[in-house]
């Protein structure tokens, strides 16, 4: 059974940092890309970042470049999203998602991902 479990969300003041974790199981980690998405109330789900476990290549949305860093610990089947210089507009539920690297074309598009976690709330106060 495929499982993606997010953790690390919470409440932080603007300018602060959080690190999200996505623990994966039930599939061959090296064959998959892991993406982070977020969804704020009333808004569409937005692709934030993605990493291909096989070679470590990454993608970042323009809105988070220079502030967020995605990384992967293949020994632990876990992907991290380090979020620095957080802004109130970063407030959302953050989801991790997985899809086979061979089929991924657009890392920022939710419909390209097969498996999803339940999400973790990130709230940034001003």
């Amino acid at each position: 059974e495929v499982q993606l479990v997010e953790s690390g969300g919470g409440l932080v003041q603007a300018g602060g940092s959080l690190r999200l974790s996505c623990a994966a199981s039930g599939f061959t980690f090296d064959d998959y890309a892991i993406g982070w998405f977020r969804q704020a109330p009333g808004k569409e789900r937005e692709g934030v970042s993605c990493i291909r476990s096989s070679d470590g290549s990454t993608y970042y949305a323009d809105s988070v470049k220079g502030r967020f860093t995605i990384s992967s610990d293949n020994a632990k089947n876990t992907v991290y999203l380090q979020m620095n210089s957080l802004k109130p507009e970063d407030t959302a539920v953050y989801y991790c998602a997985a899809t086979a690297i061979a089929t991924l074309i657009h890392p920022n598009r939710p419909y390209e991902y097969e498996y999803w976690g339940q999400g973790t709330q990130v709230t940034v106060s001003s």
Side-chain angles (χ1 to χ4, degrees):
E1 179 188 5
V2 173
Q3 281 194 318
L4 297 170
V5 180
E6 303 98 335
S7 61
L11 173 64
V12 65
Q13 288 188 332
S17 299
L18 285 173
R19 188 178 81 155
L20 305 183
S21 299
C22 174
S25 61
F27 57 87
T28 304
F29 193 73
D30 288 355
D31 292 340
Y32 276 69
I34 305 294
W36 283 99
F37 291 80
R38 64 187 182 187
Q39 189 165 19
K43 295 190 176 181
E44 293 187 352
R45 194 164 293 191
E46 172 191 17
V48 174
S49 185
C50 175
I51 187 166
R52 288 175 170 82
S53 306
S54 57
D55 62 6
S57 60
T58 58
Y59 157 84
Y60 293 97
D62 288 343
S63 57
V64 306
K65 280 180 183 176
R67 301 189 298 122
F68 291 10
T69 303
I70 192 169
S71 61
S72 176
D73 185 337
N74 288 17
K76 295 182 178 180
N77 285 7
T78 299
V79 170
Y80 304 97
L81 186 68
Q82 178 66 44
M83 305 186 296
N84 298 330
S85 302
L86 283 161
K87 305 174 181 179
E89 51 263 44
D90 294 317
T91 295
V93 177
Y94 283 71
Y95 300 89
C96 66
T99 192
I101 291 172
T103 62
L104 181 63
I105 299 175
H106 303 103
N108 62 327
R109 296 185 181 177
Y111 61 76
E112 296 212 9
Y113 289 78
E114 298 175 69
Y115 306 111
W116 290 83
Q118 292 301 305
T120 186
Q121 176 71 46
V122 171
T123 303
V124 184
S125 63
S126 57

